[in-house]
Amino acid sequence: MPAATRRAAVTEAKEGHVAFRGSRTWYRIAGNLDSPRLPLVVAHGGPGCTYDYVDTFKDIAALDGRAVIHYDQLGNGNSTRLPEKGPDFWTVDLFLDELDTLLRSLGIEHRYAFLGQSWGGMLGAEHAVRRPEGLKALVIANSPANMRTWVSEANRLRRELPADVQDTLTRHEAAGTITDPEYVAASRVFYDRHVCRVVPWPPEVARTFAIMDEDNTVYRNMNGPTEFHVIGTMKDWTIEDRLPDIAVPTLLISGRHDEATPEVVRPYVERVPGIRWVLFEHSSHMPHVEERELCMRTVSDFLKTQD
């Protein structure tokens, strides 16, 4: 079956909401939860993005017949927005609790796989080191293990940008005018190199960034103003020393041009027992968009070995 036909076969999906701490978490299921294959839960990045830009992982429902569950984390996208909440509210534990609530509500807490992209992979690692009984497989996609390394590498890549782009970024940061169109355009040079190299961005990627422009509450509080200046609640986050506690089969994916550089993902490679690392040669931070079919086959093949 051609890839486009397979993708069309899963366009009809079930959507709903789960009650969580007086708010609602939106989810969507592509495929059938009654399938004997492990259901796959997909978590978006940010913190503060939406499911849209990782929507392509629904292809896996058609590839091998498993259910694929996307959700918008609290504060984002189709879930309850909480712009009045400050840094003390937005914590790793909050999102771990939300994930557990989602798993229980869908009745899959005893048997599932988890894929997290960028911040979603950080969340997945935090989930996995707690060794939940039902987690059977983990995919960490383009994720840091230490935020200090992430920032260091982002700024190293920034120094490789054209001099005029660097000057524009520095000038507006000093002036506090990072919403100026000139700064946004200069930042886009970095994004087009190290976040998504498909130009123009696919609609689902552009949609996530547009929604974040409307409401950046979670990103602003947990990350900070930009990729280069992480001053939010995650600024000192690391999971490096806890990675040996991950006890399920794990796949790590990243891109050759990724802002999650080899140095950023190295702790996963070195410390997660038995991990497999796949580097996508023509991708940056979004192999699921930049090398879509190869990425889907790679994840699907890994999951099939765990069903």
Side-chain angles (χ1 to χ4, degrees), residues 24 36 43 60-61 92 97 123 161 167 183 194 280 295-296:
R24 299 201 308 169
I60 292 173
V92 172
D97 189 15
L123 181 66
L161 297 175
D167 291 344
Y183 184 87
H194 302 297
F280 290 85
C295 182
M296 295 307 125

Side-chain angles (χ1 to χ4, degrees), residues 118-127 140 143-144 147 234 237 239 268:
S118 199
W119 144 253
M122 298 157 65
L123 181 66
E126 287 277 8
H127 181 67
I140 296 173
S143 305
M147 286 304 289
M234 296 297 292
W237 178 87
I239 199 167
Y268 293 112

